[in-house]
Amino acid sequence: MTRLRATLALGLVLAAVLGLTGATVRVPFVALGDGPTFDVLGAQDGRTIIDVSGSVPTFPTTGQLRMTTVAVTSQVTLFGAIAMWISGSHEVVPREQVYPSGQSSQQVDAENTRQFTQSEDDAQNAALHYLGYPSAVQVGDVTTPGPSVGLLRQGDRISAIGGRPVTTPQDVVDAVGAVRPGTPLVLTVVRGGATSDVTVVTAPRPGDATKGYLGVTATSVVDAPASIRIGLADVGGPSAGLIFATAIVDKLTPGDLTGGKDIAGTGTIDASGRVGPIGGIRFKMDAAHHDGATAFLVPAGNCAEAVRNAPSGLTLARVSDLREGVAAVQTLAAGRIPPTC
């Protein structure tokens, strides 16, 4: 905040010296504010946002599950920044906090799109895993050079490490990280329908040379006769995962999960259903409340910030994983208060 004051003051001085007006002088900041919300149980531009097909039964839903966003104003003038800062309607932050130095806005947008797509995949896997469909760990990328080159391939399924079953990517991370570099690990691998044992000698993990490293990206796949398409345009980042997964559970289970209520939320999710914190929760809660939500699913890691900034009348439900998220929605549907922040 001190840096913001100093920069804005310097901008005013330069504007006066150069005979410029604060309405045209750009400052190296961006403004964060309330973004649009989307009911993911509904439709956008006439198309269902979450569409489920395949040989699985789906069930009608009522109520709303709203994903929330933060609006970013990237072209900020001196006077505009001062006005937003004074009014409190926006948070004015250094530009590199949103657009890191050395990256173009196009590169940042591309990364946000990638994260959003990954969140869709993780939400599907988390929901199907929650519903009891069998999950498996699949090899994504194989790092070159790396200890698994020539031994593991993209698409291989890892069913066990050292004789112990693994069913999530985190199981792989934990099993490999528990041994020291240079340790031979026997992986049970399914490739093309055939099962075999593959021995990989672990390398030092980047960032922590005391732990083992396979040099592969482990991803989660769920074997289910369902095809799920999530279609939502012009949205980026990973923070819709929790709401996507909860909506998929609603569509694939009998009864009405929301009880007709308007519930919003945010939070990343991994394929095993764990929920992670996000940024901009103040603006997401404000937008959700403005759009009619009466309750908000809050990642446990955001609870302290959420309590400080929650709009009056918005119930906050503390969520650490998908199971807690679904339970919170069921509790709200029944007219009760779930565990709160």
Side-chain angles (χ1 to χ4, degrees), residues 4 54 72 79 98 137 162 172 177 225 232 238 266 271 285 293 310:
L4 173 59
V72 179
F79 283 175
V98 177
V137 181
V172 175
L232 195 59
T266 189
M285 293 188 300

Side-chain angles (χ1 to χ4, degrees), residues 42-79:
Q44 183 191 40
D45 298 330
R47 294 186 64 187
T48 302
I49 291 177
I50 298 179
D51 182 67
V52 182
S53 59
S55 57
V56 292
T58 58
F59 302 89
T61 63
T62 65
Q64 298 183 347
L65 283 171
R66 291 190 170 275
M67 63 158 286
T68 51
T69 65
V70 175
V72 179
T73 304
S74 59
Q75 298 297 319
V76 180
T77 65
L78 177 59
F79 283 175

Side-chain angles (χ1 to χ4, degrees), residues 147-308:
S148 296
V149 173
L151 299 172
L152 297 177
R153 300 177 188 171
Q154 187 178 49
D156 286 348
R157 291 196 177 189
I158 303 173
S159 61
I161 296 179
R164 303 187 66 172
V166 293
T167 59
T168 70
Q170 190 62 44
D171 289 344
V172 175
V173 173
D174 293 342
V176 179
V179 304
R180 298 188 64 83
T183 302
L185 275 182
V186 178
L187 281 65
T188 303
V189 175
V190 180
R191 179 186 299 166
T195 301
S196 62
D197 287 338
V198 177
T199 300
V200 179
V201 178
T202 60
R205 178 183 294 182
D208 189 347
T210 66
K211 295 183 176 181
Y213 172 69
L214 286 182
V216 301
T217 301
T219 62
S220 182
V221 292
V222 179
D223 294 318
S227 176
I228 301 172
R229 180 195 62 80
I230 301 177
L232 195 59
D234 302 323
V235 179
S239 65
L242 170 60
I243 290 295
F244 282 150
T246 306
I248 293 169
V249 170
D250 193 3
K251 285 176 173 281
L252 291 176
T253 51
D256 182 13
L257 190 63
T258 67
K261 290 183 167 55
D262 189 339
I263 300 169
T266 189
T268 65
I269 201 165
D270 66 16
S272 63
R274 292 180 301 183
V275 173
I278 49 75
I281 194 164
R282 164 196 162 191
F283 304 110
K284 294 179 178 183
M285 293 188 300
D286 284 346
H289 188 249
H290 178 270
D291 288 350
T294 57
F296 197 96
L297 305 184
V298 180
N302 288 116
C303 263
E305 181 185 1
V307 169
R308 290 194 304 269

Side-chain angles (χ1 to χ4, degrees), residues 6 8 10 22 68 77 91 97 103 114 117 119 128 135 156-157 160 183 189 198-199 209 230 261 277 295 337:
L8 294 179
L10 178 60
T68 51
T77 65
E91 182 180 358
Q97 186 170 316
Q103 293 187 29
R114 185 200 67 78
T117 301
S119 76
L128 293 171
S135 61
D156 286 348
R157 291 196 177 189
T183 302
V189 175
V198 177
T199 300
I230 301 177
K261 290 183 167 55
I337 303 298

